Amino acid sequence: MNSKADLVIIGAGPAGSAAALTAARAGARVVVFEKSEMGRDKICGDGLTPRAVAALLALGLDPGSAHKIDGLRMVSENLERELLWPTTGRFPNYGGVWPRRSFDKFLINAAIEAGADVRFSSTATPVLDDDGRVRSVRCGLETMTTDFTILATGAQGEAARILGALRDPSEPFGLAIRTYATSPRHAEGYLEACLSLKDADGKPIPGYGWIFPAGDGTVNVGVGALSTMKGFKRLNLNTLLDRYASMVKDSWDLGEFEEKPRAWRLPMSSLRRHGPGWVAVGDAAGLVNPMNGEGIDYALESGTLAAELFLADPSTAPGKFDAELSSRFDPFLRTGRRFSFLIGHPWILRSGLKVAVGSRQAANITLAVMGNLLDSSTPGAPGRVLKVADTALRLADPVLRRYQSRD
C-alpha cells in the first residue's frame, strides 16, 4: 500500500510533537509514527527549565499544568545554596516539573488538534534511494512517500542506524535512573541537585542526584553519571540510587518507591544529524546537556526549527538546520562534552565542586549551566565564561582525551 504526506515524523516525544504542531498549523499534511501507545511514559527527570517553558510559550502552549519551579537548590557536601531562576529578556524566571506521561500526551494532543495524523503503536523506518536521499518511510506493509522526514526517535534505534545518526563512540554519554516516592515536600518550588555523589569506594562521581517535586504528592528522585569516570562500566545505578535516597530520606521524609526504578541512556552526540531529505532532532541529534542530562528544551526548539525550515523550503532545510544547530547549540554542548573528560578525574571534580558553589557568582554560572540557559548568544558573565571555556577546552581537548579516566 502506498500513500503520500508532506512531512513524516518518526517519534512523538517533545521534539516530534513540536515539529508536528508547527507544520500542521501551517497547513502541511503531517503524519507522525510513534512506536508506543498513546499515553506512553518516558523515563526522565520530568524537569522543565525556564528555556523549556519559553519554548512552550513560543509554540502558543500553556505550561500551567506543570508544577511551577522557582529555582534550584544545589548541595555539595555540607554546602547548600538556593538560587532563583534569573530574570532575563530571553527566558521566563520559572520552570516546572511535569511527569512525561502527562507532558508528552499534552504535546501530541496539541499536534493532533492542529491536524497532524498521529499513528500510535506504529514503527516506521526511512527508506534510502540509490542516491542516498530519503523520499519515503515504511511502516508494516505501507510505504509513504514524503517531501521531508524528521527523525525524532529519542534513544537511537533502527531508524537512526539506517541514516547513520548514531552516537559518536569517541564522545561521552550518560546513564541515569529514576523513580517516584511520596513526600510531604512535594509542592516545593525548588529543584534539588546533589552535586557530590560518591561511588561505593567514596570517590566522587561526575553526575548528580536529584529530587524534583511534582506537586502531586510525589517527587521524582534519581541519579545520573557520565561515562568519563573510572569504573563507569562497573557502576551499579540501582545501588547508587539507593545510597542517594538514603541520604535524603529524612530531610524529604521520603516514602517507599512508588515503582521499580528505571534506567536510560543519554546520548550526547551524533555522527550525523541531517542528510538529503531528512534531519534528526532532540535526543536523536545528540542534543543533551552533558552537565545535567537535560534535553527537553533542546528537543522543543530543534523540532520547531526543523518544521519551520521544512515549511520554508524542504530542499534547503537539512543544511540550514545543521548550520543553525552549529551556531545555536554546538559551542555549549561541545564545551560540556570536553568538560566531562576533565571532571572524570576525581581530584579535579572534587576541587571543581568547591568552586562551582563556593561563591554566589560561581553558583550563578553553575545555575545557568544546570538550567540550559547558556548558548552562543548568552550575555554577561555566563556568556563570557562559556566563550573562554570553549577556547581553553578546545586547546586542552587532545590531552583530556588522552589521559581520561579509564576502567
Side-chain angles (χ1 to χ4, degrees):
M1 180 174 66
N2 296 321
S3 56
K4 175 73 170 68
D6 298 326
L7 172 65
V8 167
I9 300 170
I10 305 176
S17 294
L21 174 62
T22 301
R25 278 177 174 168
R29 181 168 187 269
V30 180
V31 177
V32 181
F33 294 96
E34 167 55 46
K35 66 180 181 180
S36 301
E37 298 179 356
M38 178 69 161
R40 66 162 198 165
D41 187 22
K42 168 68 168 64
I43 316 171
C44 182
D46 301 335
L48 301 180
T49 64
R51 185 175 194 134
V53 173
L56 288 173
L57 294 173
L59 285 167
L61 300 176
D62 181 7
S65 294
H67 173 59
K68 186 179 179 183
I69 296 295
D70 298 314
L72 175 67
R73 179 185 304 112
M74 291 180 283
V75 180
S76 180
E77 299 293 353
N78 297 322
L79 181 60
E80 182 176 302
R81 195 179 290 277
E82 285 186 354
L83 294 174
L84 294 171
W85 295 122
T87 299
T88 71
R90 299 185 65 206
F91 310 120
N93 61 354
Y94 65 95
V97 173
W98 201 339
R100 289 291 297 272
R101 183 179 287 109
S102 301
F103 179 58
D104 285 19
K105 185 176 181 179
F106 166 81
L107 289 175
I108 199 60
N109 276 337
I112 292 171
E113 290 172 6
D117 176 4
V118 182
R119 305 182 184 186
F120 296 100
S121 302
S122 299
T123 300
T125 53
V127 179
L128 289 172
D129 285 357
D130 292 339
D131 59 359
R133 175 178 293 274
V134 176
R135 289 191 174 90
S136 63
V137 300
R138 185 174 294 117
C139 181
L141 298 178
E142 182 179 13
T143 298
M144 180 173 291
T145 58
T146 180
D147 297 327
F148 201 64
T149 298
I150 294 178
L151 185 70
T153 52
Q156 298 162 343
E158 178 63 14
R161 186 195 63 77
I162 291 171
L163 298 175
L166 300 173
R167 183 184 72 82
D168 185 341
S170 69
E171 295 293 348
F173 63 95
L175 289 178
I177 189 170
R178 72 99 169 104
T179 187
Y180 297 92
T182 58
S183 171
R185 297 174 59 184
H186 68 93
E188 280 199 4
Y190 282 84
L191 306 177
E192 183 168 296
C194 175
L195 307 180
S196 51
L197 284 181
K198 297 179 181 179
D199 65 15
D201 297 323
K203 294 180 181 178
I205 291 175
Y208 69 104
W210 70 80
I211 291 190
F212 291 176
D216 60 358
T218 69
V219 295
N220 182 311
V221 53
V223 295
L226 288 165
S227 62
T228 55
M229 64 173 283
K230 186 175 183 179
F232 179 75
K233 294 180 180 179
R234 300 187 301 275
L235 185 66
N236 187 309
L237 286 180
N238 282 283
T239 300
L240 186 62
L241 176 61
D242 289 340
R243 187 181 302 118
Y244 173 64
S246 68
M247 289 171 51
V248 296
K249 182 176 179 62
D250 291 340
S251 60
W252 282 84
D253 194 12
L254 291 182
E256 297 298 318
F257 291 165
E258 295 288 293
E259 60 182 50
K260 182 179 178 180
R262 299 167 63 194
W264 76 106
R265 179 176 290 219
L266 299 164
M268 297 172 178
S269 63
S270 181
L271 291 171
R272 294 186 71 195
R273 56 192 184 191
H274 78 291
W278 69 274
V279 298
V281 295
D283 284 12
L287 300 179
V288 175
N289 182 345
M291 305 310 298
N292 67 0
E294 165 58 25
I296 294 175
D297 37 21
Y298 300 141
L300 294 169
E301 289 185 39
S302 62
T304 301
L305 174 65
E308 290 173 344
L309 292 173
F310 154 74
L311 291 167
D313 186 349
S315 66
T316 61
K320 288 184 176 180
F321 176 79
D322 191 63
E324 180 62 26
L325 291 191
S326 296
S327 173
R328 190 188 303 185
F329 301 131
D330 280 358
F332 173 65
L333 298 179
R334 180 178 59 241
T335 298
R337 290 193 298 269
R338 288 170 174 167
F339 190 70
S340 72
F341 285 107
L342 190 67
I343 62 175
H345 297 275
W347 65 273
I348 295 178
L349 175 58
R350 190 180 295 111
S351 301
L353 287 175
K354 294 178 181 178
V355 175
V357 296
S359 69
R360 192 163 191 86
Q361 183 178 22
N364 281 328
I365 294 173
T366 304
L367 177 71
V369 170
M370 296 295 285
N372 286 11
L373 305 181
L374 287 179
D375 58 29
S376 57
S377 59
T378 302
R384 291 193 296 272
V385 169
L386 173 62
K387 289 181 175 65
V388 171
D390 188 30
T391 300
L393 289 172
R394 174 176 55 81
L395 296 173
D397 190 52
V399 176
L400 293 175
R401 291 174 185 272
R402 187 179 306 124
Y403 295 105
Q404 67 176 292
S405 291
R406 298 181 185 275
D407 286 336

